[in-house]
Amino acid sequence: MISMSLYIYAYRLSKAVVEKNEDAFGDICLDLECSQLENDFWPPDIFDFFIDALNNETICAMDGSCALLGTLSRDFEKLTQEQSAELFMLFDLRADTFSDEMLRHSISNMIAYMYPPEMGMELFTKWKMSSFPRRQHMAQVGFEVLLMAERLNKNLASVACDHLQELWQRK
């Protein structure tokens, strides 16, 4: 259940989605982020707001839905260990429902930069082997980001390159 303090954000988000207003969507995420500047951690109700939005296929199909990830990425260090794990699990469970391409890019980028590279490699490898094109796309982006950011040791970089070649050959 949404708290009264978040009611206005939920209303604004619903309105932005119905109107397909990408700018309003981004403003809502930024307003929520700014409201948390003084906090050391994401309050559970605010975090749940983002989780609920990421679980909503209509929201995740909208252009601009990647703003959700921008907000979480910029304050990633404020996530508790449990919140970080919940977010990672949500990405895996819902990957094939993220229909907005920029949202998929943002998720792969967040995983590649914010989580330990071994966790990213494991998830991207799992997605690479999936028959779902969205998961494969997210795996490709993830491998590319890990390589470009030089987050992998030599052995893992070689594995990532092999996985990318396989993905490219499927197309």
Side-chain angles (χ1 to χ4, degrees):
M1 179 167 205
I2 194 162
S3 70
M4 285 305 289
S5 63
L6 290 176
Y7 176 77
I8 191 68
Y9 294 107
Y11 171 77
R12 289 174 56 204
L13 182 65
S14 295
K15 186 175 182 210
V17 170
V18 167
E19 294 173 355
K20 298 185 182 335
N21 187 334
E22 189 175 338
D23 291 334
F25 193 102
D27 289 344
I28 294 159
C29 293
L30 184 60
D31 288 350
L32 274 168
E33 181 179 349
C34 290
S35 76
Q36 301 308 306
L37 289 176
E38 299 295 317
N39 293 340
D40 291 334
F41 295 99
W42 280 97
D45 60 338
I46 302 287
F47 178 74
D48 289 345
F49 180 89
F50 283 92
I51 292 295
D52 290 347
L54 288 166
N55 272 306
N56 184 304
E57 288 185 44
T58 303
I59 291 172
C60 292
M62 184 179 161
D63 288 348
S65 58
C66 61
L68 294 164
L69 272 286
T71 295
L72 290 170
S73 290
R74 284 187 293 275
D75 281 339
F76 189 81
E77 72 282 351
K78 291 184 178 184
L79 294 176
T80 65
Q81 201 168 17
E82 293 80 18
Q83 289 171 333
S84 174
E86 182 179 349
L87 191 59
F88 190 84
M89 193 168 56
L90 178 137
F91 292 154
D92 187 27
L93 292 173
R94 307 281 302 165
D96 38 296
T97 66
F98 299 132
S99 55
D100 180 63
E101 183 175 2
M102 290 310 298
L103 177 62
R104 290 194 306 270
H105 278 257
S106 296
I107 290 169
S108 294
N109 194 54
M110 180 183 219
I111 292 168
Y113 277 108
M114 302 299 175
Y115 290 91
E118 298 78 16
M119 282 180 71
M121 278 295 291
E122 186 176 324
L123 186 57
F124 298 144
T125 300
K126 177 182 175 183
W127 288 350
K128 179 203 94 167
M129 294 185 290
S130 169
S131 61
F132 294 98
R134 290 178 183 160
R135 287 180 186 266
Q136 291 174 1
H137 173 246
M138 291 170 73
Q140 178 182 333
V141 171
F143 289 133
E144 290 169 348
V145 172
L146 283 170
L147 288 166
M148 287 187 293
E150 298 180 348
R151 297 208 62 219
L152 302 173
N153 64 39
K154 189 175 181 177
N155 291 335
L156 284 179
S158 176
V159 170
C161 286
D162 291 344
H163 287 328
L164 279 173
Q165 285 233 275
E166 285 180 46
L167 286 165
W168 293 332
Q169 289 173 354
R170 290 183 192 171
K171 292 183 178 188

